[in-house]
Amino acid sequence: MSTASIIKLTVSAVAAVSFFIAKNVLKHKPEDSVNPKKRKKLNRLFFFGLILSVWYFIACVVNEITGGMKGINVEFEMFADRVDIFGLSVSKSTVTTWYIIAVIFILSLIFRLFIFPKFKESPKGIQNVIEILVEAADNFTSTQTHNLSPVLGEYIFSLALLMIGCATVELFSVRPPTSDLVFTFSLGLLTFILINYYGIKKKGFFGRVKALASPNPIIMPMKMLSDIAVPVSLACRLFGNMLGGMIVMDLLKGSLGGYAVGMTSLAGLYFNLFHPLIQTYIFIILTLTFINEATE
């Protein structure tokens, strides 16, 4: 261990102990001996000072154990690696998606068969939360598509669960399927199929063709090209945003080295949870918007 490292550890340890003692001394002082506003400010100062000192001490220890900052080395591929399963070459994103679907399915069975074998008329606890989520998905879908189809709400709810599951696996250092262009294009293709299915269902085949040729048949090729571009646009948008979040996390870890302790967890709350939830919402709202446009 170098002299600089010893000094860092000593200073951070002394600072942490000092802030801890100061916080306890302030706590045991009589209420009337210190101005309430000043007490509140000092208490906040000592608290954050203690947190930062402890974090820096732990970061220095981790940095010493891991050999310090090793520089930025970020490697990524547009498509996920492949594995052999029973002689078949399968994408790792596909395998991860299977695991996510299996976990959702098992949790659903446990919820339905063991936790709530019979739903109560007056829901409480978990049942109430589940019903609120399902009703919210149904109401949101119905509002966006003007009560087009009750089945569409079930698809949107399932899609949201799948994408949230994809975001969750990144917390376990697993590449999320949504950062694989093949996976995102598959979701975009499903949206393309739904757009044309509901468009034809609502207007009929010739009505759908007439809508594409409106107001002038000359623009029909451009409208068709625009429809074909929808799944590509959705796929690339989702893929780029999810891959970007993954790269930012890798850059943060690589640039900070051992000092990334705690920071990656805080950043992960955004890039691995909040940011994917935003992208899930955007993907869903665009899907419903395109379906609504095709049926108007």
Side-chain angles (χ1 to χ4, degrees), residues 67-94:
M69 291 184 284
K70 299 178 180 179
I72 300 174
N73 181 26
V74 178
E75 296 180 0
F76 69 93
E77 296 180 359
M78 185 174 294
F79 304 103
D81 296 332
R82 304 187 73 83
V83 293
D84 290 331
I85 300 179
F86 303 115
L88 296 175
S89 179
V90 181
S91 169
K92 283 187 177 180
S93 294
T94 303

PDB file of all heavy atoms in Angstrom, residues 67-94:
ATOM      1  N   GLY A  67      -6.869  -2.946  -7.401  1.00  0.00           N
ATOM      2  CA  GLY A  67      -5.686  -2.484  -8.129  1.00  0.00           C
ATOM      3  C   GLY A  67      -5.841  -1.125  -8.755  1.00  0.00           C
ATOM      4  O   GLY A  67      -5.112  -0.775  -9.684  1.00  0.00           O
ATOM      5  N   GLY A  68      -6.816  -0.334  -8.291  1.00  0.00           N
ATOM      6  CA  GLY A  68      -6.994   1.025  -8.796  1.00  0.00           C
ATOM      7  C   GLY A  68      -7.757   1.073 -10.096  1.00  0.00           C
ATOM      8  O   GLY A  68      -8.235   0.063 -10.610  1.00  0.00           O
ATOM      9  N   MET A  69      -7.847   2.259 -10.653  1.00  0.00           N
ATOM     10  CA  MET A  69      -8.582   2.461 -11.901  1.00  0.00           C
ATOM     11  C   MET A  69      -7.786   1.884 -13.067  1.00  0.00           C
ATOM     12  O   MET A  69      -6.611   2.184 -13.243  1.00  0.00           O
ATOM     13  CB  MET A  69      -8.852   3.960 -12.128  1.00  0.00           C
ATOM     14  CG  MET A  69      -9.856   4.547 -11.147  1.00  0.00           C
ATOM     15  SD  MET A  69     -10.261   6.270 -11.494  1.00  0.00           S
ATOM     16  CE  MET A  69      -8.800   7.080 -10.898  1.00  0.00           C
ATOM     17  N   LYS A  70      -8.440   1.038 -13.819  1.00  0.00           N
ATOM     18  CA  LYS A  70      -7.779   0.348 -14.919  1.00  0.00           C
ATOM     19  C   LYS A  70      -8.101   0.962 -16.285  1.00  0.00           C
ATOM     20  O   LYS A  70      -7.779   0.409 -17.315  1.00  0.00           O
ATOM     21  CB  LYS A  70      -8.183  -1.134 -14.907  1.00  0.00           C
ATOM     22  CG  LYS A  70      -7.776  -1.835 -13.615  1.00  0.00           C
ATOM     23  CD  LYS A  70      -8.211  -3.282 -13.599  1.00  0.00           C
ATOM     24  CE  LYS A  70      -7.801  -3.963 -12.297  1.00  0.00           C
ATOM     25  NZ  LYS A  70      -8.236  -5.370 -12.238  1.00  0.00           N
ATOM     26  N   GLY A  71      -8.774   2.099 -16.297  1.00  0.00           N
ATOM     27  CA  GLY A  71      -9.087   2.754 -17.561  1.00  0.00           C
ATOM     28  C   GLY A  71     -10.407   2.271 -18.125  1.00  0.00           C
ATOM     29  O   GLY A  71     -11.016   1.316 -17.645  1.00  0.00           O
ATOM     30  N   ILE A  72     -10.849   2.955 -19.158  1.00  0.00           N
ATOM     31  CA  ILE A  72     -12.135   2.646 -19.778  1.00  0.00           C
ATOM     32  C   ILE A  72     -11.946   1.592 -20.857  1.00  0.00           C
ATOM     33  O   ILE A  72     -11.132   1.747 -21.758  1.00  0.00           O
ATOM     34  CB  ILE A  72     -12.754   3.919 -20.383  1.00  0.00           C
ATOM     35  CG1 ILE A  72     -12.968   4.969 -19.282  1.00  0.00           C
ATOM     36  CG2 ILE A  72     -14.062   3.606 -21.076  1.00  0.00           C
ATOM     37  CD1 ILE A  72     -13.443   6.309 -19.819  1.00  0.00           C
ATOM     38  N   ASN A  73     -12.698   0.523 -20.734  1.00  0.00           N
ATOM     39  CA  ASN A  73     -12.650  -0.542 -21.737  1.00  0.00           C
ATOM     40  C   ASN A  73     -14.062  -1.061 -21.946  1.00  0.00           C
ATOM     41  O   ASN A  73     -14.515  -1.972 -21.264  1.00  0.00           O
ATOM     42  CB  ASN A  73     -11.718  -1.662 -21.271  1.00  0.00           C
ATOM     43  CG  ASN A  73     -11.615  -2.770 -22.306  1.00  0.00           C
ATOM     44  OD1 ASN A  73     -11.806  -2.533 -23.499  1.00  0.00           O
ATOM     45  ND2 ASN A  73     -11.327  -3.981 -21.867  1.00  0.00           N
ATOM     46  N   VAL A  74     -14.772  -0.433 -22.855  1.00  0.00           N
ATOM     47  CA  VAL A  74     -16.172  -0.779 -23.106  1.00  0.00           C
ATOM     48  C   VAL A  74     -16.273  -1.540 -24.419  1.00  0.00           C
ATOM     49  O   VAL A  74     -15.822  -1.053 -25.458  1.00  0.00           O
ATOM     50  CB  VAL A  74     -17.055   0.483 -23.152  1.00  0.00           C
ATOM     51  CG1 VAL A  74     -18.494   0.110 -23.454  1.00  0.00           C
ATOM     52  CG2 VAL A  74     -16.965   1.237 -21.836  1.00  0.00           C
ATOM     53  N   GLU A  75     -16.826  -2.732 -24.352  1.00  0.00           N
ATOM     54  CA  GLU A  75     -17.038  -3.538 -25.550  1.00  0.00           C
ATOM     55  C   GLU A  75     -18.520  -3.912 -25.635  1.00  0.00           C
ATOM     56  O   GLU A  75     -19.097  -4.344 -24.647  1.00  0.00           O
ATOM     57  CB  GLU A  75     -16.184  -4.810 -25.507  1.00  0.00           C
ATOM     58  CG  GLU A  75     -14.679  -4.538 -25.525  1.00  0.00           C
ATOM     59  CD  GLU A  75     -13.874  -5.823 -25.494  1.00  0.00           C
ATOM     60  OE1 GLU A  75     -14.508  -6.903 -25.465  1.00  0.00           O
ATOM     61  OE2 GLU A  75     -12.640  -5.749 -25.492  1.00  0.00           O
ATOM     62  N   PHE A  76     -19.096  -3.735 -26.781  1.00  0.00           N
ATOM     63  CA  PHE A  76     -20.492  -4.116 -26.969  1.00  0.00           C
ATOM     64  C   PHE A  76     -20.714  -4.518 -28.417  1.00  0.00           C
ATOM     65  O   PHE A  76     -19.948  -4.153 -29.305  1.00  0.00           O
ATOM     66  CB  PHE A  76     -21.442  -2.978 -26.583  1.00  0.00           C
ATOM     67  CG  PHE A  76     -21.377  -1.807 -27.529  1.00  0.00           C
ATOM     68  CD1 PHE A  76     -22.246  -1.704 -28.609  1.00  0.00           C
ATOM     69  CD2 PHE A  76     -20.440  -0.793 -27.336  1.00  0.00           C
ATOM     70  CE1 PHE A  76     -22.185  -0.625 -29.482  1.00  0.00           C
ATOM     71  CE2 PHE A  76     -20.368   0.273 -28.203  1.00  0.00           C
ATOM     72  CZ  PHE A  76     -21.244   0.361 -29.266  1.00  0.00           C
ATOM     73  N   GLU A  77     -21.742  -5.305 -28.619  1.00  0.00           N
ATOM     74  CA  GLU A  77     -22.099  -5.751 -29.956  1.00  0.00           C
ATOM     75  C   GLU A  77     -23.567  -5.442 -30.208  1.00  0.00           C
ATOM     76  O   GLU A  77     -24.380  -5.441 -29.281  1.00  0.00           O
ATOM     77  CB  GLU A  77     -21.852  -7.257 -30.107  1.00  0.00           C
ATOM     78  CG  GLU A  77     -20.385  -7.646 -29.982  1.00  0.00           C
ATOM     79  CD  GLU A  77     -20.178  -9.142 -30.125  1.00  0.00           C
ATOM     80  OE1 GLU A  77     -21.192  -9.857 -30.305  1.00  0.00           O
ATOM     81  OE2 GLU A  77     -19.025  -9.588 -30.053  1.00  0.00           O
ATOM     82  N   MET A  78     -23.889  -5.167 -31.449  1.00  0.00           N
ATOM     83  CA  MET A  78     -25.268  -4.847 -31.806  1.00  0.00           C
ATOM     84  C   MET A  78     -26.186  -6.040 -31.555  1.00  0.00           C
ATOM     85  O   MET A  78     -27.331  -5.887 -31.138  1.00  0.00           O
ATOM     86  CB  MET A  78     -25.346  -4.412 -33.270  1.00  0.00           C
ATOM     87  CG  MET A  78     -26.728  -3.951 -33.698  1.00  0.00           C
ATOM     88  SD  MET A  78     -26.757  -3.273 -35.378  1.00  0.00           S
ATOM     89  CE  MET A  78     -25.750  -1.807 -35.166  1.00  0.00           C
ATOM     90  N   PHE A  79     -25.660  -7.257 -31.818  1.00  0.00           N
ATOM     91  CA  PHE A  79     -26.435  -8.464 -31.618  1.00  0.00           C
ATOM     92  C   PHE A  79     -25.817  -9.285 -30.475  1.00  0.00           C
ATOM     93  O   PHE A  79     -24.596  -9.289 -30.294  1.00  0.00           O
ATOM     94  CB  PHE A  79     -26.484  -9.307 -32.894  1.00  0.00           C
ATOM     95  CG  PHE A  79     -27.018  -8.557 -34.081  1.00  0.00           C
ATOM     96  CD1 PHE A  79     -26.157  -8.076 -35.053  1.00  0.00           C
ATOM     97  CD2 PHE A  79     -28.364  -8.302 -34.196  1.00  0.00           C
ATOM     98  CE1 PHE A  79     -26.646  -7.375 -36.149  1.00  0.00           C
ATOM     99  CE2 PHE A  79     -28.866  -7.597 -35.280  1.00  0.00           C
ATOM    100  CZ  PHE A  79     -28.012  -7.130 -36.260  1.00  0.00           C
ATOM    101  N   ALA A  80     -26.660  -9.942 -29.696  1.00  0.00           N
ATOM    102  CA  ALA A  80     -26.185 -10.716 -28.561  1.00  0.00           C
ATOM    103  C   ALA A  80     -25.432 -11.961 -29.031  1.00  0.00           C
ATOM    104  O   ALA A  80     -25.616 -12.434 -30.159  1.00  0.00           O
ATOM    105  CB  ALA A  80     -27.369 -11.123 -27.675  1.00  0.00           C
ATOM    106  N   ASP A  81     -24.577 -12.486 -28.139  1.00  0.00           N
ATOM    107  CA  ASP A  81     -23.858 -13.726 -28.440  1.00  0.00           C
ATOM    108  C   ASP A  81     -24.844 -14.882 -28.564  1.00  0.00           C
ATOM    109  O   ASP A  81     -25.994 -14.793 -28.116  1.00  0.00           O
ATOM    110  CB  ASP A  81     -22.840 -14.025 -27.332  1.00  0.00           C
ATOM    111  CG  ASP A  81     -21.761 -12.959 -27.257  1.00  0.00           C
ATOM    112  OD1 ASP A  81     -21.487 -12.342 -28.294  1.00  0.00           O
ATOM    113  OD2 ASP A  81     -21.221 -12.748 -26.155  1.00  0.00           O
ATOM    114  N   ARG A  82     -24.364 -15.967 -29.147  1.00  0.00           N
ATOM    115  CA  ARG A  82     -25.221 -17.138 -29.354  1.00  0.00           C
ATOM    116  C   ARG A  82     -24.684 -18.322 -28.553  1.00  0.00           C
ATOM    117  O   ARG A  82     -23.479 -18.426 -28.292  1.00  0.00           O
ATOM    118  CB  ARG A  82     -25.304 -17.489 -30.831  1.00  0.00           C
ATOM    119  CG  ARG A  82     -25.784 -16.340 -31.696  1.00  0.00           C
ATOM    120  CD  ARG A  82     -26.012 -16.760 -33.119  1.00  0.00           C
ATOM    121  NE  ARG A  82     -27.215 -17.572 -33.254  1.00  0.00           N
ATOM    122  CZ  ARG A  82     -28.445 -17.079 -33.369  1.00  0.00           C
ATOM    123  NH1 ARG A  82     -28.639 -15.768 -33.339  1.00  0.00           N
ATOM    124  NH2 ARG A  82     -29.480 -17.869 -33.502  1.00  0.00           N
ATOM    125  N   VAL A  83     -25.600 -19.197 -28.143  1.00  0.00           N
ATOM    126  CA  VAL A  83     -25.246 -20.404 -27.406  1.00  0.00           C
ATOM    127  C   VAL A  83     -25.904 -21.604 -28.083  1.00  0.00           C
ATOM    128  O   VAL A  83     -26.912 -21.454 -28.787  1.00  0.00           O
ATOM    129  CB  VAL A  83     -25.695 -20.316 -25.926  1.00  0.00           C
ATOM    130  CG1 VAL A  83     -24.918 -19.243 -25.191  1.00  0.00           C
ATOM    131  CG2 VAL A  83     -27.193 -20.047 -25.824  1.00  0.00           C
ATOM    132  N   ASP A  84     -25.331 -22.770 -27.872  1.00  0.00           N
ATOM    133  CA  ASP A  84     -25.891 -24.008 -28.431  1.00  0.00           C
ATOM    134  C   ASP A  84     -26.767 -24.704 -27.408  1.00  0.00           C
ATOM    135  O   ASP A  84     -26.326 -25.000 -26.296  1.00  0.00           O
ATOM    136  CB  ASP A  84     -24.767 -24.953 -28.879  1.00  0.00           C
ATOM    137  CG  ASP A  84     -24.042 -24.434 -30.116  1.00  0.00           C
ATOM    138  OD1 ASP A  84     -24.685 -23.732 -30.914  1.00  0.00           O
ATOM    139  OD2 ASP A  84     -22.838 -24.713 -30.270  1.00  0.00           O
ATOM    140  N   ILE A  85     -28.015 -24.947 -27.771  1.00  0.00           N
ATOM    141  CA  ILE A  85     -28.957 -25.670 -26.909  1.00  0.00           C
ATOM    142  C   ILE A  85     -29.533 -26.828 -27.710  1.00  0.00           C
ATOM    143  O   ILE A  85     -30.248 -26.611 -28.696  1.00  0.00           O
ATOM    144  CB  ILE A  85     -30.090 -24.741 -26.416  1.00  0.00           C
ATOM    145  CG1 ILE A  85     -29.511 -23.581 -25.611  1.00  0.00           C
ATOM    146  CG2 ILE A  85     -31.088 -25.523 -25.568  1.00  0.00           C
ATOM    147  CD1 ILE A  85     -30.555 -22.604 -25.116  1.00  0.00           C
ATOM    148  N   PHE A  86     -29.176 -28.031 -27.300  1.00  0.00           N
ATOM    149  CA  PHE A  86     -29.625 -29.252 -27.997  1.00  0.00           C
ATOM    150  C   PHE A  86     -29.283 -29.199 -29.488  1.00  0.00           C
ATOM    151  O   PHE A  86     -30.094 -29.580 -30.343  1.00  0.00           O
ATOM    152  CB  PHE A  86     -31.125 -29.472 -27.806  1.00  0.00           C
ATOM    153  CG  PHE A  86     -31.551 -29.565 -26.378  1.00  0.00           C
ATOM    154  CD1 PHE A  86     -32.386 -28.596 -25.817  1.00  0.00           C
ATOM    155  CD2 PHE A  86     -31.116 -30.604 -25.574  1.00  0.00           C
ATOM    156  CE1 PHE A  86     -32.782 -28.676 -24.493  1.00  0.00           C
ATOM    157  CE2 PHE A  86     -31.510 -30.699 -24.247  1.00  0.00           C
ATOM    158  CZ  PHE A  86     -32.333 -29.736 -23.698  1.00  0.00           C
ATOM    159  N   GLY A  87     -28.096 -28.684 -29.773  1.00  0.00           N
ATOM    160  CA  GLY A  87     -27.644 -28.629 -31.154  1.00  0.00           C
ATOM    161  C   GLY A  87     -28.150 -27.448 -31.953  1.00  0.00           C
ATOM    162  O   GLY A  87     -27.822 -27.306 -33.127  1.00  0.00           O
ATOM    163  N   LEU A  88     -28.952 -26.596 -31.331  1.00  0.00           N
ATOM    164  CA  LEU A  88     -29.484 -25.417 -32.010  1.00  0.00           C
ATOM    165  C   LEU A  88     -28.768 -24.162 -31.524  1.00  0.00           C
ATOM    166  O   LEU A  88     -28.518 -24.004 -30.326  1.00  0.00           O
ATOM    167  CB  LEU A  88     -30.989 -25.276 -31.750  1.00  0.00           C
ATOM    168  CG  LEU A  88     -31.892 -26.399 -32.286  1.00  0.00           C
ATOM    169  CD1 LEU A  88     -33.328 -26.159 -31.834  1.00  0.00           C
ATOM    170  CD2 LEU A  88     -31.824 -26.470 -33.806  1.00  0.00           C
ATOM    171  N   SER A  89     -28.429 -23.283 -32.453  1.00  0.00           N
ATOM    172  CA  SER A  89     -27.782 -22.024 -32.110  1.00  0.00           C
ATOM    173  C   SER A  89     -28.857 -20.996 -31.753  1.00  0.00           C
ATOM    174  O   SER A  89     -29.680 -20.633 -32.589  1.00  0.00           O
ATOM    175  CB  SER A  89     -26.939 -21.519 -33.283  1.00  0.00           C
ATOM    176  OG  SER A  89     -26.328 -20.291 -32.964  1.00  0.00           O
ATOM    177  N   VAL A  90     -28.832 -20.557 -30.488  1.00  0.00           N
ATOM    178  CA  VAL A  90     -29.865 -19.650 -29.983  1.00  0.00           C
ATOM    179  C   VAL A  90     -29.202 -18.406 -29.405  1.00  0.00           C
ATOM    180  O   VAL A  90     -28.156 -18.487 -28.759  1.00  0.00           O
ATOM    181  CB  VAL A  90     -30.719 -20.337 -28.897  1.00  0.00           C
ATOM    182  CG1 VAL A  90     -31.815 -19.397 -28.400  1.00  0.00           C
ATOM    183  CG2 VAL A  90     -31.331 -21.618 -29.434  1.00  0.00           C
ATOM    184  N   SER A  91     -29.799 -17.256 -29.659  1.00  0.00           N
ATOM    185  CA  SER A  91     -29.290 -16.001 -29.116  1.00  0.00           C
ATOM    186  C   SER A  91     -29.440 -15.976 -27.597  1.00  0.00           C
ATOM    187  O   SER A  91     -30.429 -16.473 -27.042  1.00  0.00           O
ATOM    188  CB  SER A  91     -30.047 -14.817 -29.729  1.00  0.00           C
ATOM    189  OG  SER A  91     -29.742 -13.619 -29.049  1.00  0.00           O
ATOM    190  N   LYS A  92     -28.450 -15.392 -26.909  1.00  0.00           N
ATOM    191  CA  LYS A  92     -28.534 -15.268 -25.452  1.00  0.00           C
ATOM    192  C   LYS A  92     -29.720 -14.401 -25.037  1.00  0.00           C
ATOM    193  O   LYS A  92     -30.299 -14.601 -23.967  1.00  0.00           O
ATOM    194  CB  LYS A  92     -27.236 -14.677 -24.899  1.00  0.00           C
ATOM    195  CG  LYS A  92     -26.077 -15.660 -24.827  1.00  0.00           C
ATOM    196  CD  LYS A  92     -24.884 -15.042 -24.121  1.00  0.00           C
ATOM    197  CE  LYS A  92     -23.742 -16.058 -23.991  1.00  0.00           C
ATOM    198  NZ  LYS A  92     -22.560 -15.468 -23.311  1.00  0.00           N
ATOM    199  N   SER A  93     -30.079 -13.437 -25.893  1.00  0.00           N
ATOM    200  CA  SER A  93     -31.244 -12.606 -25.601  1.00  0.00           C
ATOM    201  C   SER A  93     -32.520 -13.438 -25.579  1.00  0.00           C
ATOM    202  O   SER A  93     -33.407 -13.212 -24.756  1.00  0.00           O
ATOM    203  CB  SER A  93     -31.380 -11.495 -26.644  1.00  0.00           C
ATOM    204  OG  SER A  93     -30.316 -10.589 -26.552  1.00  0.00           O
ATOM    205  N   THR A  94     -32.586 -14.417 -26.483  1.00  0.00           N
ATOM    206  CA  THR A  94     -33.743 -15.316 -26.514  1.00  0.00           C
ATOM    207  C   THR A  94     -33.810 -16.146 -25.246  1.00  0.00           C
ATOM    208  O   THR A  94     -34.889 -16.307 -24.648  1.00  0.00           O
ATOM    209  CB  THR A  94     -33.666 -16.247 -27.743  1.00  0.00           C
ATOM    210  OG1 THR A  94     -33.589 -15.462 -28.931  1.00  0.00           O
ATOM    211  CG2 THR A  94     -34.884 -17.155 -27.815  1.00  0.00           C
TER     212      THR A  94
END
